[in-house]
């Protein structure tokens, strides 16, 4: 499958979803992105406790918002 065909198929699948399904998918992707970022923080700061990991994650999110 070409990248163009894959994109077209992905769009087709999204269009077939309900609003609630699309919202759930976006929330799931956000949660996954946060989990990946937390793991990166833990690797960068191996002695950080969970509070520090969360503070650093929120800081990264603030920077991303601009």
């Amino acid at each position: 499958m070409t990248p163009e065909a894959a994109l077209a198929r992905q769009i087709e699948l999204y269009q077939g979803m309900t609003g609630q399904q699309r919202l759930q998918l976006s929330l799931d992707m956000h949660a996954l992105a946060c989990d990946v970022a937390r793991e990166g923080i833990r690797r960068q700061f191996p002695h950080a406790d969970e509070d520090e990991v969360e503070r650093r994650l929120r800081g990264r999110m603030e920077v991303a918002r601009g």
Side-chain angles (χ1 to χ4, degrees):
M1 179 178 286
T2 67
E4 294 80 11
L7 178 59
R9 178 69 177 133
Q10 186 175 16
I11 290 170
E12 182 182 314
L13 291 171
Y14 290 152
Q15 289 173 337
M17 291 179 168
T18 65
Q20 184 175 355
Q21 289 170 321
R22 287 192 304 270
L23 175 60
Q24 187 60 56
L25 179 61
S26 66
L27 293 172
D28 291 346
M29 289 189 301
H30 174 76
L32 176 62
C34 288
D35 289 344
V36 169
R38 283 184 191 96
E39 284 306 311
I41 292 167
R42 287 184 188 107
R43 286 177 188 234
Q44 187 176 2
F45 303 96
H47 300 293
D49 63 17
E50 288 306 305
D51 287 338
E52 182 177 352
V53 170
E54 290 302 312
R55 276 193 309 276
R56 288 181 179 278
L57 176 61
R58 283 192 304 276
R60 290 181 181 189
M61 292 173 77
E62 287 298 320
V63 167
R65 286 184 192 158

